[in-house]
Amino acid sequence: MSATNFKTENNTYRKLIGNGLTYRIPRFQRDYSWSEDEWEDLWADILGILQEGGEPAHYMGYLVLQSQDDKSFDVIDGQQRLTTLTLVVLAAMKNLQRLVNDKTQAEQNQRRIDQIRQTYIGYLDPVTLVSRTKLTLNRNNDSYFQTYLVPLGHLPQRGFRASEHSLRKAFEWFEKRVRDYAKRQGGDEGMALASLVETMSDKLFFTVISVTDELNAFKVFETLNARGVRLSSTDLLKNYLFSVLHKEAEHAHEMQVLEDRWEAMVTRLGSESFPDFLRVHWISRKTFVRQAELFKTIRSKVTTRAVVFELLRGMEEDMDAYLALTNPEASAWTPELRGQAQKLRMFSVRQPFPLIVAGHRHLNAADFATLLKACVTISFRYNVIGSQPTNEQERVYYAAAQKLSNAEINNAAQVLEALKPVYPADEAFRSAFADKIIRTTNSRNLRIVRYILCALERQLNNTDHDFESDTFNVEHVLPQNPGEGWPAFSDEEVEAMAYRIGNMALMAKGANRDIGNAAFAVKKPVLAASAFELTRKVAEDNADWTPERIAARQKNLARLASTVWRVAQLSD
């Protein structure tokens, strides 16, 4: 993004709202949704800057604004905060109006109301009482805001949307807090109310990011989200689709249908990222696209009402498969399919998702099961053990998904053949496995080691063990922190060898605890008595435990592994 269409600065609330600029929440932006939890947090922040000796300033986070002229801005992200701060100002004005009505310093307090309105709220026609405000809300909320809240009149309660009730409740909530605060100050209540607004406007500040169009706004979202700042790129995508419908013609029913179906999808996704799902959906049907280019691609391809609803139907069709991959436990898939999806999640591998989603659409049940299992095997070989770069792998999966979606291939055997470039050959896999180090100091890696050892045990003697069971642990034969009795290992070798797969074995919980960091001679009879054959063989096959014996055992396990994680059609 060039500097000409992207600007960042820190601004106080006063500078934002009190200098003749206007702000508009786009027609199709999300409705007002804050509730008491967020109101409480904001009020606590405000009190923190009001109290004597309190914060000199309080940071309110990012605002993302879009403007062509630096005078009128669309609020792309931050609408909930800006709306609520406006309600706080209106609540202070309502309390000043109460003082005027009670004839308490009526002239001074009326002047305060007029000044605050002019500075922070906007122009109110003295004849019609129709407002021209600095902040305009979205299509569902602006009428209630302008008609009832801004004029400080009676607030009707029946026949309105839930979000309009939320606006009213927020105003009433802050009106009470502001009133109680002003009364606690003692003395001139009107002065306390005016001081609250002025202090708040000077001490609350934002990082304001201004862009010139939606594409730059989307890039801002993706950049900040990558840095851990969660912004609503999902809303931006929705706004664009709404704008396509609006440009062709205003169809209220279609707008409502899109709104309802979009929100249903967002709700179903829960904590999952909507842009991540949309990218998987798009790649599975259309063209390969990087996350940073997703919005640009959508904007260039989705340009008519028909295409908007085609996109919507496709996303709805693909969501079941996507959610089955990200949250297998809640899916309607068979236990076998759920188990394969759980393995992908454990591996933290998502590159096959577009292909799997395409396979779910186009393959019969047996072929889909074959594909999903093959993707797990490839992920284990390529990602978990091989730790190979994912860029090329992603493109291979995409190409296979395209062929499947375009009916160039139509069965599992043909799909698997297309995946051959990312299936490490047996010799390469055995070599990578023989050298693999997996540090079990985090829970994910520990689960993977348990999974590997249980699968190898099953292959050796056809005994099934649940790798999630709490009846056994992973024993590091050479302890992670060895005491006396390990003279064969230097400090450097302990670091290098303790987390080799060849140094790890399954052991019943009690036995594992009993032998702790003991020498191999102490561990050996306990290992020999284990119910796990691979663990017994550590004792049976080794007079002592040295770096050479760890390497030899891991090489043997690698040969066994190449028979477990294997796609027959693709193997040598």
Side-chain angles (χ1 to χ4, degrees), residues 303-374:
T303 57
T304 67
R305 289 166 53 221
V307 179
V308 167
F309 281 97
E310 178 191 339
L311 175 67
L312 196 65
R313 288 190 297 272
M315 288 192 294
E316 289 170 335
E317 182 183 1
D318 288 343
M319 186 163 287
D320 281 341
Y322 182 83
L323 288 174
L325 292 169
T326 59
N327 186 19
E329 293 79 8
S331 80
W333 281 4
T334 65
E336 171 63 23
L337 295 179
R338 286 201 301 270
Q340 300 296 351
Q342 286 168 332
K343 290 170 190 174
L344 281 178
R345 186 178 61 186
M346 177 174 64
F347 298 163
S348 297
V349 171
R350 289 189 168 217
Q351 286 77 21
F353 280 14
L355 174 59
I356 294 169
V357 168
H360 191 259
R361 286 197 309 270
H362 295 289
L363 297 176
N364 63 42
D367 276 0
F368 177 69
T370 298
L371 170 62
L372 183 58
K373 184 176 181 181

Side-chain angles (χ1 to χ4, degrees), residues 26 64 151 270 300 347 351 411 414 435:
V64 180
S300 68
F347 298 163
Q351 286 77 21
N411 60 55
Q414 292 171 324
D435 292 332

Side-chain angles (χ1 to χ4, degrees), residues 237-456:
L237 289 165
K238 183 181 80 168
N239 292 344
Y240 174 72
L241 298 183
F242 269 116
S243 72
V244 172
L245 298 190
H246 183 56
K247 274 186 290 189
E248 291 200 11
E250 181 82 27
H251 294 272
H253 174 67
E254 287 184 359
M255 295 286 190
Q256 192 59 52
V257 167
L258 176 57
E259 175 99 44
D260 293 346
R261 289 166 71 176
W262 185 276
E263 291 306 319
M265 285 191 291
V266 171
T267 299
R268 289 189 65 200
L269 279 170
S271 61
E272 286 294 319
S273 162
F274 197 100
D276 287 351
F277 161 65
L278 179 56
R279 179 171 180 258
V280 167
H281 159 79
W282 190 267
I283 292 175
S284 80
R285 291 173 181 258
K286 307 288 185 183
T287 57
F288 182 81
V289 59
R290 294 287 179 204
Q291 192 77 31
E293 299 299 314
L294 179 62
F295 185 73
K296 181 179 180 181
T297 302
I298 297 288
R299 196 173 68 165
S300 68
K301 301 294 185 183
V302 181
T303 57
T304 67
R305 289 166 53 221
V307 179
V308 167
F309 281 97
E310 178 191 339
L311 175 67
L312 196 65
R313 288 190 297 272
M315 288 192 294
E316 289 170 335
E317 182 183 1
D318 288 343
M319 186 163 287
D320 281 341
Y322 182 83
L323 288 174
L325 292 169
T326 59
N327 186 19
E329 293 79 8
S331 80
W333 281 4
T334 65
E336 171 63 23
L337 295 179
R338 286 201 301 270
Q340 300 296 351
Q342 286 168 332
K343 290 170 190 174
L344 281 178
R345 186 178 61 186
M346 177 174 64
F347 298 163
S348 297
V349 171
R350 289 189 168 217
Q351 286 77 21
F353 280 14
L355 174 59
I356 294 169
V357 168
H360 191 259
R361 286 197 309 270
H362 295 289
L363 297 176
N364 63 42
D367 276 0
F368 177 69
T370 298
L371 170 62
L372 183 58
K373 184 176 181 181
C375 286
V376 172
T377 298
I378 292 170
S379 298
F380 184 80
R381 284 191 172 217
Y382 189 99
N383 302 86
V384 176
I385 299 301
S387 300
Q388 296 191 42
T390 58
N391 290 355
E392 179 58 28
Q393 181 192 34
E394 196 171 37
R395 290 191 177 275
V396 170
Y397 282 126
Y398 151 69
Q402 290 303 293
K403 289 180 180 178
L404 194 54
S405 292
N406 296 334
E408 296 174 42
I409 56 179
N410 56 28
N411 60 55
Q414 292 171 324
V415 178
L416 296 188
E417 196 60 35
L419 299 182
K420 196 157 191 176
V422 291
Y423 180 79
D426 287 350
E427 184 176 346
F429 172 64
R430 285 192 289 266
S431 175
F433 193 100
D435 292 332
K436 188 67 180 177
I437 294 171
I438 303 180
R439 299 189 68 85
T440 55
T441 49
N442 69 61
S443 59
R444 171 186 171 271
N445 283 356
L446 183 59
R447 288 184 72 226
I448 288 175
V449 168
R450 291 168 67 96
Y451 160 72
I452 291 171
L453 294 176
C454 284
L456 293 173

